[in-house]
Amino acid sequence: VARPGLAGGVGSLVDILNRTDRTTERNVLDQLAESDADLAEEIRMMLFVFEDIVKLDDRSVQLLLKEVDQKDLSLALRGVSEEVRDKVLHNMSQRAAEMLLEEIEYQPPQLRRVVEEAQGRVVAKVRQLEEAEAIVIGRGGGEDELVA
């Protein structure tokens, strides 16, 4: 689904990158940045990445947590900012949050690729929920902006 209001191929590229794995996304953006840094940054701002979970409202995070595999979630939360981790834990029951933290603590070190793959699966679920119009990703400044 192309995003209305985006000029030419930018919207299409954002949609394609939103469906790729993080490694491909990063490679495409790094290559693009070499020839047009401003365009690469504009596209980066339009993409939803795992760390953008903090931009979701609590209801959306709770819905997401019901849909994602707990193993993926525990892997995906490795090495993320405290803000991201807190957003997720805040939207879980105390018992579920304790179990998740324990699982993260006792996991052996993981390859970055494995963590990014898990984050990619969580992001794919966010995108599925958005396409089903179950959640709204607040990208700010536009027709899709939430108004109270």
Side-chain angles (χ1 to χ4, degrees), residues 9 32 35 46 55 61 65 75 97 115 120 141 145:
L32 181 59
S35 61
M46 293 180 198
K55 296 178 183 176
V61 174
L65 292 173
L75 282 170
V115 171
E145 189 172 346

Side-chain angles (χ1 to χ4, degrees), residues 1-16 32 36 39 42-43 46 143:
V1 178
R3 298 188 197 329
L6 295 178
V10 174
S12 297
L13 180 56
V14 168
D15 287 331
I16 291 167
L32 181 59
D36 191 336
L39 179 60
E42 177 184 345
I43 291 169
M46 293 180 198
E143 293 174 17

Side-chain angles (χ1 to χ4, degrees), residues 20-24 26-27 50 71-72 74-79 108-122:
T20 64
D21 59 81
R22 296 238 357 229
T23 303
T24 302
R26 187 178 305 119
N27 287 339
F50 183 78
K71 183 175 172 150
D72 281 343
S74 67
L75 282 170
L77 288 172
R78 295 183 70 89
Q110 301 291 321
L111 294 171
R112 177 171 306 283
R113 173 182 50 80
V114 172
V115 171
E116 287 180 353
E117 287 169 358
Q119 289 175 344
R121 288 188 292 274
V122 173

Side-chain angles (χ1 to χ4, degrees), residues 12-89:
S12 297
L13 180 56
V14 168
D15 287 331
I16 291 167
L17 291 177
N18 267 329
R19 289 172 173 74
T20 64
D21 59 81
R22 296 238 357 229
T23 303
T24 302
E25 177 183 301
R26 187 178 305 119
N27 287 339
V28 169
L29 289 172
D30 288 349
Q31 290 295 315
L32 181 59
E34 289 180 17
S35 61
D36 191 336
D38 291 338
L39 179 60
E41 186 56 31
E42 177 184 345
I43 291 169
R44 273 187 225 285
M45 297 299 289
M46 293 180 198
L47 293 171
F48 185 92
V49 295
F50 183 78
E51 291 77 6
D52 289 337
I53 284 176
V54 297
K55 296 178 183 176
L56 297 176
D57 62 59
D58 287 345
R59 187 193 71 71
S60 296
V61 174
Q62 292 162 13
L63 186 59
L64 173 65
L65 292 173
K66 290 178 186 173
E67 299 288 325
V68 297
D69 182 281
Q70 290 303 299
K71 183 175 172 150
D72 281 343
L73 187 60
S74 67
L75 282 170
L77 288 172
R78 295 183 70 89
V80 297
S81 72
E82 199 171 311
E83 181 184 22
V84 174
R85 188 178 284 203
D86 288 348
K87 180 72 171 190
V88 171
L89 295 174

